Amino acid sequence: MQYNVQYQYRPKGQVRPNDDGELVPIKIDNTTHQTLLPNVGDYVHIGATEENLGTVLGKVASRLFTYQQIGSGDVFCVVNIVLDECEDDIWPTLIKE
């Protein structure tokens, strides 16, 4: 089975995530092995990347797993993770650096 993990950001007060696409695409296949996925309620920090120059901080609001069988008989799974905007003052309470 192949997996593709997408993160989407939802600013405070919006019903749907931003339409500007995925934040960090992660592909998991037979050679990649396991990866940890945050659960609903977990806090996530995504540092700046080439495609997305800003940093994203959020709380996982939902995880949607979509499975599709492809022509070769293999199954492909897309995991969509929505991050809700959080208050800025929450971050210093989560970790001491």
Side-chain angles (χ1 to χ4, degrees):
M1 183 178 308
Q2 296 179 12
Y3 295 87
N4 185 6
V5 182
Q6 308 178 108
Y7 287 89
Q8 292 184 314
Y9 183 67
R10 180 169 54 195
K12 189 176 251 179
Q14 288 190 5
V15 177
R16 292 177 36 87
N18 287 346
D19 289 333
D20 54 357
E22 59 192 295
L23 298 172
V24 179
I26 300 171
K27 293 186 181 189
I28 306 166
D29 57 27
N30 294 338
T31 60
T32 312
H33 306 295
Q34 285 184 308
T35 188
L36 292 175
L37 295 177
N39 209 342
V40 173
D42 288 342
Y43 291 91
V44 175
H45 172 230
I46 299 173
T49 63
E50 285 185 31
E51 295 82 25
N52 178 21
L53 298 177
T55 297
V56 175
L57 306 167
K59 185 175 183 180
V60 177
S62 65
R63 300 187 323 167
L64 173 66
F65 293 77
T66 304
Y67 295 89
Q68 180 67 46
Q69 187 171 1
I70 53 181
S72 62
D74 292 332
V75 176
F76 188 76
C77 177
V78 176
V79 183
N80 189 71
I81 299 174
V82 175
L83 298 178
D84 277 344
E85 178 180 7
C86 297
E87 299 297 329
D88 289 338
D89 61 351
I90 190 68
W91 298 102
T93 66
L94 298 176
I95 188 170
K96 182 177 179 181
E97 295 185 40

